[in-house]
Amino acid sequence: MQLHYSLEDLKDIDWMGVLPIILPIMAVGFILILIALLDLYRNRKTRENVFIWTLVILFCNTIGPILYFVIGRKDSRA
């Protein structure tokens, strides 16, 4: 019984079968990050903690932009 996997086991994966599942998820994540960064850039004068929000958006992948749109857009100085 094998309890661990090695890099040799990656050869056995059918990548053409996995790509139709992975690519749309990656595309949605990239689009979310792009839209969040554009919104943050356009409203940088009215947003607080622009640098921190940039780091959250970039390093928290899909969750970061969602957090920005839910929480970050409310901290504007109107």
Side-chain angles (χ1 to χ4, degrees):
M1 184 163 109
Q2 185 178 3
L3 297 177
H4 65 280
Y5 297 100
S6 67
L7 293 176
E8 296 295 323
D9 295 329
L10 291 176
K11 294 178 187 175
D12 299 332
I13 295 175
D14 178 26
W15 290 108
M16 289 302 141
V18 175
L19 280 179
I21 298 169
I22 292 175
L23 285 180
I25 295 170
M26 289 175 58
V28 167
F30 179 74
I31 290 169
L32 274 173
I33 289 171
L34 186 65
I35 292 171
L37 287 174
L38 285 173
D39 184 71
L40 183 63
Y41 177 74
R42 287 182 182 164
N43 301 304
R44 67 186 178 274
K45 302 232 187 281
T46 60
R47 300 280 187 256
E48 296 177 5
N49 305 321
V50 174
F51 181 71
I52 294 173
W53 277 116
T54 303
L55 292 177
V56 168
I57 291 169
L58 289 175
F59 293 117
C60 293
N61 295 336
T62 306
I63 300 297
I66 293 171
L67 285 174
Y68 170 72
F69 286 123
V70 172
I71 299 170
R73 295 182 79 187
K74 293 179 183 176
D75 70 355
S76 61
R77 294 177 234 137

